[in-house]
Amino acid sequence: MIENILQLIYPNVCGICGSISKQDICNKCYVKIRKLQRNKKKIYLTKHFTTHMYLFDYQDIIRQKILQYKFNEKTYLCRGFAKIILNNEKICGFLKTYDIMTSVPISKKRKRSKRIQPK
Ligand SMILES: [Zn+2]
């Protein structure tokens, strides 16, 4: 019951367009985002880095949402990103070949310089 009351006061919104939605990404935005998927994989022959796989080109709405997630404390966007990743068989198959996946840390200087205001 408390959850229902909270939903009335603070309804779930789509992480992309901000419209009220029970899902983390509304159906309209999910269709748009799926069209932007690239599923690219690059092989590198360096000592520390061998493979780079990414779902989207880092531009436009994708870049904007990633920056908001990373630097504007919109951590709720992770649920929508996770849904997109977990619904992609190619990416999941790729991830299963590794024991550990980790983030790439950012320097404090770069973090300060990337603190942005959403457009
Ligand atoms: Zn939406």
Side-chain angles (χ1 to χ4, degrees):
M1 180 160 165
I2 291 174
E3 191 171 315
N4 290 338
I5 293 170
L6 286 174
Q7 280 297 315
L8 287 173
I9 299 169
Y10 303 107
N12 283 349
V13 295
C14 169
I16 303 297
C17 70
S19 67
I20 295 175
S21 172
K22 289 184 178 181
Q23 300 161 324
D24 299 311
I25 298 177
C26 73
N27 290 334
K28 187 176 172 184
C29 289
Y30 192 75
V31 169
K32 284 183 188 175
I33 295 293
R34 291 286 306 226
K35 289 179 183 172
L36 298 174
Q37 279 190 242
R38 300 290 180 248
N39 300 332
K40 290 184 179 173
K41 183 176 178 180
K42 292 183 177 179
I43 306 295
Y44 297 88
L45 299 175
T46 69
K47 182 178 173 184
H48 304 289
F49 201 72
T50 58
T51 308
H52 174 207
M53 189 165 198
Y54 58 98
L55 287 171
F56 300 99
D57 291 328
Y58 187 60
Q59 60 188 19
D60 304 326
I61 188 71
I62 299 299
R63 181 179 183 276
Q64 180 186 354
K65 293 301 170 183
I66 289 173
L67 290 173
Q68 287 176 349
Y69 167 74
K70 289 176 74 175
F71 304 110
N72 291 105
E73 299 170 359
K74 295 192 175 187
T75 55
Y76 61 88
L77 291 171
C78 72
R79 294 189 303 264
F81 294 146
K83 179 181 176 184
I84 291 169
I85 291 169
L86 294 174
N87 284 333
N88 187 300
E89 287 182 30
K90 192 173 180 180
I91 294 291
C92 287
F94 174 74
L95 294 175
K96 285 179 184 175
T97 63
Y98 291 89
D99 295 327
I100 295 174
M101 182 172 66
T102 185
S103 61
V104 177
I106 189 169
S107 71
K108 289 179 183 177
K109 181 180 177 184
R110 183 152 168 83
K111 186 175 182 179
R112 278 192 305 270
S113 71
K114 284 295 181 181
R115 192 158 185 87
I116 61 162
Q117 296 298 318
K119 292 178 183 174

